[in-house]
């Protein structure tokens, strides 16, 4: 995600053309950062799980245990919800707080994260496996920008006065929904935490957040900063735990008013069902994708190859919006495949703390095995393995950058979300054909088209059923622009002004007046 940090602020290096950063601008990492927090954060206090259970969090570069973390389950969710509900009670410090003060707290949180950016990037790399240079230069700046963006919205989310008929004065209030359950994934732990907390807190809600069991450490450190900058007790509660226990408890909890989830479409179905069978809590979902990346014959070949490589391989291929179906027009197909294979072979895979590394390990053994299974499926179903396809290191969860050619739409690797460094390149002839094929999927998260013809760009972008379409670029994000999917890629939008809607109840108030005048 977040191409903006590469393309605007960081110069291109010949040795790392996809990672446009200057090594001189990045502080040398501590490859063994100290873990300060490994307990549950409830009511601004660090607590063990009620059950006393703990689970190991693993360094994916080595497969070794980093530390043990408290494991929340239903009893801990109940405690956190009670704290959040108390913080949301009428007349509480949080409910009485000026909106501008809420914004100030978010600004202070952004400042604290910026202050500790190097440490947070080190911890993210240790726990998640993403290259430290990317964590520091991309993830952390955009976390800070997200909190600052929503800090600015806190006192500007206004209702309306409405001229209804009769002697009445009518207005609307934008009120917080209440206690919000938030469940975030492991691929961008800090960033997904910011995307969820920013709009929820700006609009005055309280939060119970379950963080991914694969990557709990940075979220817990941010919890310490939330307390440091002055958020009242119970406003934010952070729970490491497993999906089937802690996550399910949030989804079905009768005293949670809204749940926001980022993750797989399969789990999204379970979240929606749990809402329906409990209290009909509001649900927003940002789910999977199989995003088409369409290369027309008039595109700038060098740029299209590089951007398509980035679209698929960034973050070890672990992006919900990865350009994972690369459609290339027939008359440039062979050249594009040849260049894409050359680029994939040059991709630097290795120690994520090395500033030359472009690709670190997959997040865990489960993902590692799943991706290798998809590679095997591609070979069995007749796709042509052009490069990669195997394990890239003696230990850890490293996979070679892999490119398949001659991919057909009905192949498993062209239908299902792989979530790894595996590129599928498909051939098409006409615009009408590629739009129809691109839309022939249950997903609708993102898409892209590369062309020099603005008419073709508009035709294709208008025809694609996806929540985001990039033209001659990929993974360009900003806190100001909404993101979300069509179809089985979810519902609702995150980021931008649209992101505030999902954390707001609109109340209509009508007052009888003696006489209305225009």
């Amino acid at each position: 995600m977040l191409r903006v940090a590469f393309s605007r602020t960081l110069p291109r290096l010949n040795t790392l053309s996809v990672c446009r950063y200057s090594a001189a601008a990045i502080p040398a990492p501590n490859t063994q950062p100290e873990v300060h927090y490994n307990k549950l954060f409830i009511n601004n206090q660090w607590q063990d799980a009620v059950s006393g259970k703990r689970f190991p969090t693993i360094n994916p570069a080595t497969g070794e245990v980093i530390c043990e973390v408290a494991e929340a389950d239903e009893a801990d969710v109940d405690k956190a919800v009670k704290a959040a509900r108390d913080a949301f009670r009428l007349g509480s410090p949080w409910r009485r707080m000026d909106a501008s003060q809420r914004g100030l707290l978010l600004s202070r949180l952004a400042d604290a994260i910026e202050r500790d950016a190097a440490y947070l990037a080190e911890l993210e790399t240790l726990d998640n496996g993403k290259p430290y240079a990317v964590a520091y230069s991309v993830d952390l700046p955009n976390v800070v920008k997200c909190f600052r963006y929503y800090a600015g919205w806190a006192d500007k989310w206004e209702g309306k006065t409405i001229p209804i008929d009769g002697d009445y004065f009518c207005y609307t209030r934008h009120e917080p929904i209440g206690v919000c359950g938030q469940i975030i994934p492991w691929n961008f732990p800090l960033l997904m935490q910011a995307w969820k907390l920013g709009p929820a807190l700006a609009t005055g809600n309280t939060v119970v957040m379950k963080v991914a069991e694969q990557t709990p450490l940075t979220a817990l450190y941010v919890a310490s900063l939330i307390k440091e900058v002055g958020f009242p007790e119970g406003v934010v509660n952070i729970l490491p735990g497993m999906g089937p226990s802690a996550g399910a408890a949030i989804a079905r909890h009768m005293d949670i008013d809204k749940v926001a989830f980022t993750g797989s479409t399969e789990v999204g179905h379970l979240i929606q069902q749990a809402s329906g069978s409990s209290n009909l809590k509001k649900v927003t979902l940002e789910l999977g994708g199989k995003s088409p990346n369409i290369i027309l014959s008039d595109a700038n070949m060098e740029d299209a190859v590089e951007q398509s490589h980035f679209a698929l391989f960034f973050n070890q291929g672990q992006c919900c919006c990865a350009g994972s179906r690369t459609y290339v027009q027939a008359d440039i197909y062979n050249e594009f495949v040849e260049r894409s294979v050359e680029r994939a072979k040059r991709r630097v895979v290795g120690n994520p703390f090395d500033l030359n590394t472009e690709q670190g390990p997959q997040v865990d053994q489960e993902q590692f095995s799943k991706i290798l299974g998809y590679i095997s499926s591609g070979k069995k179903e007749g796709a042509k393995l052009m490069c990669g396809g195997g394990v890239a290191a003696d230990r850890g969860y490293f996979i070679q950058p892999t490119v398949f050619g001659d991919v057909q739409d009905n192949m498993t690797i062209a239908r299902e979300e792989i979530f790894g460094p595996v590129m599928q390149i498909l051939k098409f002839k006409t615009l009408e054909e590629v739009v129809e094929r691109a839309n022939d999927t249950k997903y609708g998260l993102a898409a892209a088209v590369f062309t020099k013809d603005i008419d073709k760009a508009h035709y294709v972008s208008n025809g694609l059923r996806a929540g985001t379409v990039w033209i001659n670029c990929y993974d360009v994000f900003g806190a100001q622009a909404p993101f979300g999917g069509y179809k089985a890629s979810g519902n609702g939008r995150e980021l931008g002004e649209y992101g505030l809607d999902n954390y707001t109840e609109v109340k209509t108030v009508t007052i009888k007046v003696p006489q209305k005048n225009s």
Side-chain angles (χ1 to χ4, degrees):
M1 291 182 182
L2 308 168
R3 182 70 170 209
V4 63
F6 286 119
S7 59
R8 290 187 182 173
T9 63
L10 306 169
R12 181 188 293 267
L13 300 181
N14 291 332
T15 56
L16 284 174
S17 58
V18 74
C19 291
R20 299 181 176 89
Y21 54 78
S22 168
I26 300 174
N30 173 9
T31 61
Q32 295 181 315
E34 183 180 355
V35 177
H36 298 288
Y37 304 101
N38 63 347
K39 295 185 178 183
L40 313 182
F41 184 75
I42 300 175
N43 211 33
N44 278 12
Q45 298 175 352
W46 298 104
Q47 305 181 15
D48 290 317
V50 171
S51 68
K53 292 198 317 187
R54 303 166 75 83
F55 66 92
T57 186
I58 306 297
N59 177 351
T62 64
E64 297 171 350
V65 174
I66 301 169
C67 67
E68 298 278 329
V69 178
E71 181 180 337
D73 60 19
E74 186 168 10
D76 304 291
V77 170
D78 286 341
K79 287 177 65 177
V81 172
K82 182 180 184 305
R85 181 59 64 190
D86 287 346
F88 192 72
R89 73 185 187 280
L90 203 63
S92 71
W94 181 242
R95 292 292 297 276
R96 294 272 298 148
M97 185 179 292
D98 288 338
S100 61
Q101 181 66 20
R102 292 201 305 268
L104 182 59
L105 289 178
L106 283 168
S107 289
R108 288 174 177 167
L109 179 58
D111 293 345
I113 291 170
E114 189 172 54
R115 179 197 68 200
D116 296 344
Y119 170 75
L120 281 163
E122 293 161 358
L123 200 59
E124 194 87 315
T125 294
L126 182 71
D127 206 17
N128 170 276
K130 66 175 61 195
Y132 166 75
V134 174
Y136 183 82
S137 298
V138 180
D139 291 47
L140 265 301
N142 284 283
V143 168
V144 171
K145 287 179 181 179
C146 183
F147 280 122
R148 286 180 177 154
Y149 174 79
Y150 280 111
W153 265 113
D155 59 357
K156 302 172 187 67
W157 190 226
E158 302 155 345
K160 298 179 179 180
T161 59
I162 303 171
I164 65 171
D165 294 351
D167 290 330
Y168 303 98
F169 173 62
C170 181
Y171 67 93
T172 58
R173 282 171 47 88
H174 286 182
E175 298 186 351
I177 290 174
V179 177
C180 297
Q182 300 182 325
I183 305 173
I184 64 172
W186 46 259
N187 56 338
F188 292 92
L190 282 165
L191 201 53
M192 294 299 99
Q193 185 182 42
W195 283 24
K196 295 286 190 291
L197 288 180
L201 298 177
T203 47
N205 296 277
T206 59
V207 171
V208 176
M209 174 177 283
K210 191 203 87 69
V211 298
E213 63 270 23
Q214 296 90 340
T215 55
L217 299 182
T218 50
L220 292 174
Y221 187 80
V222 170
S224 75
L225 301 182
I226 287 169
K227 181 177 180 179
E228 175 190 319
V229 302
F231 280 88
E233 294 180 354
V235 171
V236 179
N237 305 273
I238 307 291
L239 306 179
M242 306 298 162
S245 52
I250 288 173
R252 65 172 179 262
H253 204 288
M254 294 297 292
D255 207 24
I256 288 179
D257 303 301
K258 180 251 167 60
V259 64
F261 170 76
T262 296
S264 71
T265 295
E266 292 71 26
V267 176
H269 281 284
L270 299 177
I271 300 283
Q272 194 92 52
Q273 291 163 12
S275 169
S277 63
S278 57
N279 61 342
L280 287 177
K281 59 180 63 66
K282 296 176 183 295
V283 177
T284 53
L285 303 169
E286 197 264 275
L287 306 176
K290 195 69 179 174
S291 300
N293 178 28
I294 299 168
I295 316 300
L296 303 189
S297 57
D298 69 337
N300 179 300
M301 176 65 75
E302 180 181 4
D303 189 52
V305 168
E306 183 61 39
Q307 301 248 14
S308 298
H309 178 87
F310 177 87
L312 188 284
F313 290 102
F314 179 59
N315 206 48
Q316 296 66 249
Q318 298 169 155
C319 293
C320 54
C321 57
S324 52
R325 289 183 294 151
T326 307
Y327 286 98
V328 182
Q329 203 150 22
D331 48 352
I332 62 167
Y333 181 84
N334 290 338
E335 181 184 359
F336 184 92
V337 170
E338 181 181 346
R339 289 197 186 197
S340 294
V341 169
E342 291 173 357
R343 178 64 184 91
K345 289 179 176 178
R346 294 197 309 271
R347 187 167 184 80
V348 180
V349 182
N351 176 9
F353 281 105
D354 187 328
L355 296 186
N356 290 317
T357 294
E358 294 178 273
Q359 181 177 313
Q362 309 310 126
V363 76
D364 64 7
Q365 180 68 53
E366 181 181 351
Q367 289 298 121
F368 178 78
S369 300
K370 178 182 174 183
I371 294 162
L372 292 176
Y374 276 116
I375 292 172
S376 177
S377 167
K379 291 188 287 187
K380 288 178 182 176
E381 293 185 7
K384 185 176 181 180
L385 180 64
M386 308 298 294
C387 69
V391 177
D394 295 334
R395 65 173 186 162
Y397 310 124
F398 295 89
I399 293 178
Q400 295 171 343
T402 300
V403 177
F404 278 105
D406 296 338
V407 179
Q408 304 302 314
D409 289 338
N410 61 353
M411 293 179 177
T412 301
I413 59 172
R415 305 297 298 178
E416 298 183 10
E417 186 176 36
I418 298 173
F419 226 62
V422 184
M423 186 178 196
Q424 297 78 242
I425 309 181
L426 304 92
K427 185 186 298 184
F428 75 92
K429 292 183 180 179
T430 68
L431 293 185
E432 293 75 16
E433 169 204 343
V434 75
V435 169
E436 181 177 354
R437 289 170 63 190
N439 287 333
D440 183 21
T441 174
K442 68 179 182 179
Y443 297 113
L445 190 56
V449 57
F450 286 83
T451 177
K452 296 176 183 175
D453 188 323
I454 191 65
D455 292 333
K456 292 178 180 177
H458 280 301
Y459 174 83
V460 174
S461 65
N462 288 345
L464 293 170
R465 299 287 294 166
T468 294
V469 179
W470 291 291
I471 298 174
N472 294 328
C473 57
Y474 209 97
D475 276 346
V476 178
F477 284 80
Q480 307 88 344
F483 180 74
Y486 288 20
K487 301 188 284 186
S489 288
N491 57 62
R493 292 295 180 268
E494 295 191 299
L495 300 181
E497 182 177 355
Y498 292 89
L500 299 166
D501 290 331
N502 294 315
Y503 291 95
T504 305
E505 293 280 18
V506 178
K507 176 182 286 183
T508 301
V509 180
T510 304
I511 306 170
K512 181 72 172 69
V513 295
Q515 184 184 74
K516 180 183 70 180
N517 289 279
S518 60

